[in-house]
Amino acid sequence: MKIKRREFLQGVAWALAGLGISEAQWWGWSDRYSQVLAQPTNRKLALLVGINQYPDVDLAGCLTDVELQQELLINRFGFQAQDIITLTNKEATKNNIKDSFNSHLIQQAKPGDVAIFHFSGYGSRIKYQEELEEKEVYKLKNFLVAVDSTIAPNTVENELLEETIYSLLGSIPTENAIAILDTSYINQSNSLLGNLRIRSRFNPSILKISQDDVILPDNLSKKSNLNSSGIILKAAGENQVATEGQWNSFNAGLFTYSLTQQLWIATPETTLRFSFDRTAEIITEISGKYQQPEISQTDLNIRENPDKILNTSFASGNYPAIGVVTSIIDTGKTGKIWLGGISPTILDSYTINSILSLIPTNNSEETLEKTLIQIRSRDGLTAQVSIIGEGKMQVGQLVQEYIRIVPHQIYLTVALDNNLRRIERVDATSAFSIVPQVKSIVITETPQPADYLFGRVEKLEISGVDNAYAQSSAPLPSLPQSRYGLFSLGQELIPNTMGEGGEAVKSAVQRVIPQLQTLRANKLLRLTQNEDTSRLPIGISLEIVTPEPKILLQKQTLGVLEKKSIISHQKYKIPKVKSNGVVSLVSGSKILYRVQNYSDVPVYYIVFGLDSTGRAIALYCFLPEDSNIPSDTNMIKPRKVNLQKILPGETLTIPNNTSAWQWTINSPKGLVETKIIFSIAPFARAIDVLETGIPIGSNQQIGLIAKPLEFAQAVLQDLHEASNAANKLGVTSNDDFVLDVNAWASFNFIYRIV
């Protein structure tokens, strides 16, 4: 058993409570949290459990999950040394977990305190026999697999029932109790979901269960008259799977990594709904639709309070953070930082020489670039840094992004499914080897860092999940009838990548090359996402126009928060946006994006997306047909496609209010990803690409991009040139794009057409 020193900043409850709670329950619960956490004297207790080393089948990312939570609690929410306990591997027995829960959380907590329980490990499901009105019936129960749990054909021992966790949580004498369960229970015989490892143990029919565990929840409920309640944040829905993935040099639970990353970058303006939406977006980007976080509650009798919104401040200041200084040497000139706030979709391409700024420790009005540090090397989430110019680092000092370095050469990595036969893998490896900037890797039982998966397509129902084309663990069909396609890492089929039956592997690879180039373009533009670190003050919302006007998602940059010191806070307040994970839209709906430029300079924008069929699309804003003049006084080349810009202080809509064209959702069912990228300089190179291979139209329209990869590279080059102020810091490079957070802002919106 280990004890760590952690501080817990005000606001842990609002950030963690934002994962999917029902609307009425959420508003009432968050209001209680805002009252409790406003009192700085409250005690915060945590019990963190992670198990990698099971007696039979190991996991790889659970100890990292514990570390991710610890670093978050240390530097964004702050525990005292005696207030956080970790149980890992052999320490995480059933009795140790229950005893620690009782002694550390239940017995020590007082009303108004915050108590957190985290579990990362296997889960499973029990089918047990129960006598009901003289009849034998069978019921299912979910349980956490402790390190000493044993599963046999007819019995299970040392299981920790999920309902026991509910009862333990509800027995803590505080209304602010939270359990985070990065596990799942679905009986899936395959240990992998595509290229992600499943945190569910396959379990045969089990007919016997410990009576102590059956009656424990009832006993706890009878003993506790505290009217306590808590929430349980789950990595996946009841009939979905929780997964863990691999990034360069470390494994982690997809849920824990995405959640903690979002909490690092949260600010006082971040609502609970927004935190949940962003976490769900990241999981969807990586895994597809078979894992979506969910929330349960121990007390469902919370009164509705829809007029309240939680908005607590962090003790460390109003800035979001992407990391923290963990150690220093050379009198504060060099040191190590933890990059817990870097998005999982960006981390592996986050390179050396990137520059960060130290957030002032005294909450002063100092600018972020007062002291700058540069990344010299990086190993996973840990980086070696050194001071640029004057200044010193302090352990515990938070850091923010200043200049991002993106390599010109970004590869797309395709994992080859382990169900492919050896000859299929050999042929696929050979075929991918000649595709520019695409490399393939072979996976076995161990997931590998990758972007997508290539494998055989079969019709498969995944234990209660929607019927979908996915990787099958069933007996393989004969080779002549094989179909091949591209999948997300969580085995959701990429649209328009499935071939005909009997197709050869090499032919399949050749067939998907255009889609690979589109996916690589999307990966490049994902690397521009920076709404939480951009200092270009832009606010943007996704709104539905019909059938009923409504704001679906609303986002703003760090630059907007900085503007609050100059202008009215009320002008920048984000309204309540009520949603529940990834937004769903019905085909036929009309949408628009509303943009506000709060800066003192004109801002240009460009729109790129993948529609539900997987095609690359862009927004074309045409000049009148009789006009062949530059659309900007700084541009010399005559154009047909307009360089769109927003004047200082201006608010406009995309499409604009004067356009007869409306953005109608008419694609087939599926996921849509749209990026809206802003810059202080025109997107001249990107517009050049758009003007090739597209019929000239009038006004505005959404159209296909003839050369998506060339377009993405042009956007990055435009942003690089707009960031020429970075040259003053000596970070110019012929092999990299150098992007200054003062020069660009990039937003990503994901919704599903249903």
Side-chain angles (χ1 to χ4, degrees):
M1 185 179 297
K2 301 176 183 177
I3 299 178
K4 300 287 186 180
R5 176 174 299 274
R6 302 296 185 240
E7 294 180 273
F8 194 59
L9 296 177
Q10 296 175 1
V12 64
W14 70 264
L16 290 177
L19 294 177
I21 192 169
S22 71
E23 185 173 305
Q25 298 164 1
W26 178 76
W27 293 111
W29 213 80
S30 65
D31 183 46
R32 296 214 309 274
Y33 257 31
S34 62
Q35 297 172 17
V36 170
L37 295 182
Q39 306 174 42
T41 57
N42 292 335
R43 191 177 183 188
K44 293 90 180 180
L45 305 166
L47 171 61
L48 311 179
V49 180
I51 308 171
N52 279 347
Q53 298 175 2
Y54 282 92
D56 43 6
V57 182
D58 288 345
L59 291 170
C62 300
L63 299 192
T64 304
D65 289 358
V66 170
E67 185 179 13
L68 286 165
Q69 288 284 13
Q70 283 180 321
E71 293 295 340
L72 178 74
L73 297 178
I74 293 171
N75 301 292
R76 293 298 272 172
F77 298 104
F79 273 29
Q80 297 299 315
Q82 65 273 22
D83 291 336
I84 184 167
I85 291 178
T86 68
L87 297 174
T88 59
N89 289 337
K90 65 181 181 180
E91 302 166 337
T93 64
K94 173 187 174 181
N95 286 337
N96 275 353
I97 295 172
K98 289 170 59 178
D99 291 346
S100 297
F101 208 120
N102 182 59
S103 62
H104 188 62
L105 301 181
I106 296 175
Q107 294 184 13
Q108 292 196 81
K110 294 179 175 57
D113 289 350
V114 175
I116 296 176
F117 171 73
H118 178 102
F119 177 85
S120 285
Y122 278 123
S124 192
R125 184 166 286 165
I126 298 171
K127 180 181 180 182
Y128 79 103
Q129 185 175 344
E130 184 179 82
E131 291 187 6
L132 183 63
E133 295 180 353
E134 299 182 352
K135 294 182 180 180
E136 291 185 351
V137 297
Y138 294 97
K139 292 187 177 181
L140 297 176
K141 287 185 180 290
N142 298 331
F143 71 95
L144 311 182
V145 182
V147 73
D148 59 340
S149 297
T150 57
I151 299 175
N154 295 309
T155 188
V156 62
E157 295 180 359
N158 293 324
E159 76 290 338
L160 188 58
L161 294 180
E162 183 187 49
E163 62 190 63
T164 298
I165 298 298
Y166 277 60
S167 296
L168 288 168
L169 197 70
S171 299
I172 301 175
T174 176
E175 64 275 30
N176 307 313
I178 307 167
I180 304 104
L181 306 181
D182 200 342
T183 188
S184 56
Y185 314 104
I186 190 170
N187 275 332
Q188 175 70 15
S189 58
N190 194 350
S191 63
L192 297 178
L193 179 71
N195 192 40
L196 301 171
R197 182 169 298 285
I198 298 173
R199 287 185 173 177
S200 298
R201 285 287 299 276
F202 177 73
N203 195 13
S205 295
I206 294 176
L207 305 180
K208 296 180 181 179
I209 184 173
S210 170
Q211 288 302 305
D212 291 339
D213 288 320
V214 174
I215 64 176
L216 176 61
D218 289 335
N219 288 341
L220 286 171
S221 298
K222 292 175 182 178
K223 290 169 61 178
S224 177
N225 296 311
L226 300 167
N227 295 320
S228 300
S229 66
I231 59 172
I232 294 87
L233 309 178
K234 297 182 179 181
E238 182 70 10
N239 289 315
Q240 293 185 319
V241 291
T243 61
E244 61 179 34
Q246 183 174 14
W247 290 262
N248 288 330
S249 77
F250 73 96
N251 297 75
L254 182 55
F255 174 63
T256 300
Y257 185 10
S258 302
L259 172 64
T260 55
Q261 186 266 330
Q262 283 302 301
L263 299 184
W264 271 95
I265 59 176
T267 72
E269 290 297 321
T270 309
T271 66
L272 305 185
R273 291 291 179 189
F274 186 73
S275 293
F276 171 61
D277 291 341
R278 289 289 302 277
T279 301
E281 281 182 5
I282 292 173
I283 291 175
T284 300
E285 284 182 46
I286 296 173
S287 70
K289 64 182 179 181
Y290 296 124
Q291 178 179 353
Q292 287 296 298
E294 191 175 86
I295 193 164
S296 299
Q297 200 161 2
T298 60
D299 179 6
L300 301 180
N301 298 315
I302 293 179
R303 295 180 180 178
E304 295 187 19
N305 192 5
D307 298 325
K308 297 289 185 179
I309 188 169
L310 183 60
N311 189 21
T312 53
S313 298
F314 291 118
S316 61
N318 292 331
Y319 286 113
I322 66 167
V324 63
V325 178
T326 56
S327 65
I328 57 174
I329 56 177
D330 190 23
T331 64
K333 294 295 184 180
T334 60
K336 289 185 179 181
I337 61 173
W338 172 265
L339 292 171
I342 297 292
S343 171
T345 59
I346 294 175
L347 178 68
D348 283 347
S349 299
Y350 207 79
T351 63
I352 61 173
N353 295 325
S354 292
I355 294 177
L356 311 176
S357 53
L358 293 171
I359 298 176
T361 57
N362 57 357
N363 294 321
S364 69
E365 296 298 325
E366 296 179 23
T367 58
L368 282 180
E369 59 265 44
K370 179 71 174 181
T371 304
L372 299 178
I373 58 177
Q374 190 165 32
I375 295 178
R376 300 304 184 185
S377 64
R378 184 176 63 82
D379 181 16
L381 291 166
T382 301
Q384 294 273 161
V385 296
S386 61
I387 289 284
I388 297 177
E390 300 298 324
K392 294 181 180 180
M393 291 178 280
Q394 301 177 35
V395 172
Q397 193 167 7
L398 301 175
V399 301
Q400 185 50 272
E401 185 174 35
Y402 190 63
I403 291 177
R404 182 182 301 181
I405 305 296
V406 177
H408 285 173
Q409 301 300 322
I410 295 291
Y411 284 80
L412 197 71
T413 303
V414 179
L416 304 182
D417 181 64
N418 67 340
N419 283 326
L420 292 174
R421 298 181 178 90
R422 182 177 180 277
I423 185 61
E424 291 174 304
R425 295 186 184 187
V426 171
D427 288 347
T429 301
S430 174
F432 278 115
S433 67
I434 61 175
V435 182
Q437 304 301 309
V438 176
K439 58 183 179 180
S440 63
I441 56 173
V442 177
I443 61 172
T444 54
E445 290 301 317
T446 302
Q448 302 293 323
D451 300 300
Y452 296 96
L453 184 74
F454 177 83
R456 188 180 291 107
V457 182
E458 299 293 339
K459 192 76 172 179
L460 174 68
E461 182 176 2
I462 305 182
S463 302
V465 182
D466 293 339
N467 282 334
Y469 282 103
Q471 292 300 114
S472 174
S473 59
L476 299 176
S478 59
L479 186 60
Q481 298 303 314
S482 295
R483 296 169 181 253
Y484 301 99
L486 288 173
F487 299 82
S488 71
L489 295 185
Q491 73 180 29
E492 183 174 2
L493 183 69
I494 304 298
N496 291 325
T497 65
M498 181 179 67
E500 298 295 330
E503 182 181 31
V505 171
K506 289 187 176 181
S507 298
V509 173
Q510 289 295 314
R511 174 177 52 79
V512 300
I513 286 178
Q515 190 64 25
L516 287 170
Q517 299 303 334
T518 298
L519 293 173
R520 183 166 167 248
N522 193 49
K523 178 178 180 177
L524 283 171
L525 293 182
R526 277 181 178 175
L527 298 180
T528 69
Q529 292 173 215
N530 74 333
E531 63 196 71
D532 303 297
T533 61
S534 172
R535 300 182 67 196
L536 187 62
I538 301 292
I540 185 170
S541 61
L542 168 61
E543 303 178 16
I544 188 169
V545 179
T546 61
E548 180 183 356
K550 180 182 180 182
I551 297 176
L552 300 175
L553 293 171
Q554 190 155 15
K555 304 182 180 184
Q556 64 180 2
T557 64
L558 170 62
V560 174
L561 298 179
E562 292 183 306
K563 279 284 185 177
K564 289 180 180 178
S565 63
I566 303 174
I567 60 178
S568 168
H569 173 84
Q570 183 63 32
K571 183 177 180 180
Y572 288 93
K573 187 174 182 179
I574 296 181
K576 294 178 289 187
V577 178
K578 303 172 186 178
S579 58
N580 189 21
V582 175
V583 170
S584 295
L585 290 174
V586 177
S587 182
S589 301
K590 291 180 172 59
I591 64 169
L592 61 80
Y593 292 89
R594 192 178 305 276
V595 182
Q596 295 171 296
N597 176 14
Y598 297 122
S599 74
D600 300 324
V601 298
V603 174
Y604 298 82
Y605 70 88
I606 203 159
V607 179
F608 170 88
L610 296 183
D611 68 11
S612 63
T613 67
R615 301 175 302 175
I617 56 175
L619 176 67
Y620 291 85
C621 304
F622 297 106
L623 289 165
E625 291 186 6
D626 59 351
S627 174
N628 194 19
I629 60 175
S631 57
D632 188 271
T633 56
N634 296 323
M635 307 306 299
I636 298 175
K637 180 180 177 180
R639 298 186 179 281
K640 294 290 186 180
V641 178
N642 196 7
L643 292 161
Q644 293 295 293
K645 67 179 177 181
I646 313 173
L647 298 176
E650 184 181 10
T651 297
L652 60 73
T653 61
I654 305 172
N656 62 47
N657 294 327
T658 61
S659 172
W661 172 77
Q662 290 184 304
W663 194 328
T664 303
I665 305 300
N666 53 19
S667 299
K669 293 181 179 180
L671 199 68
V672 176
E673 185 173 349
T674 304
K675 296 169 180 61
I676 304 182
I677 306 172
F678 300 87
S679 173
I680 61 174
F683 288 96
R685 295 176 184 271
I687 295 298
D688 284 344
V689 177
L690 286 184
E691 288 188 319
T692 63
I694 185 73
I696 298 301
S698 61
N699 213 314
Q700 298 184 5
Q701 69 179 56
I702 288 290
L704 300 179
I705 303 177
K707 301 176 180 179
L709 183 56
E710 186 177 336
F711 172 80
Q713 293 168 329
V715 169
L716 281 164
Q717 185 62 38
D718 285 332
L719 295 179
H720 171 83
E721 293 173 4
S723 302
N724 58 8
N727 294 338
K728 300 176 183 178
L729 296 171
V731 289
T732 56
S733 172
N734 294 326
D735 299 321
D736 304 303
F737 299 110
V738 181
L739 310 182
D740 188 340
V741 296
N742 295 282
W744 104 99
S746 180
F747 297 87
N748 194 47
F749 290 87
I750 291 179
Y751 57 85
R752 191 175 290 277
I753 301 176
V754 297

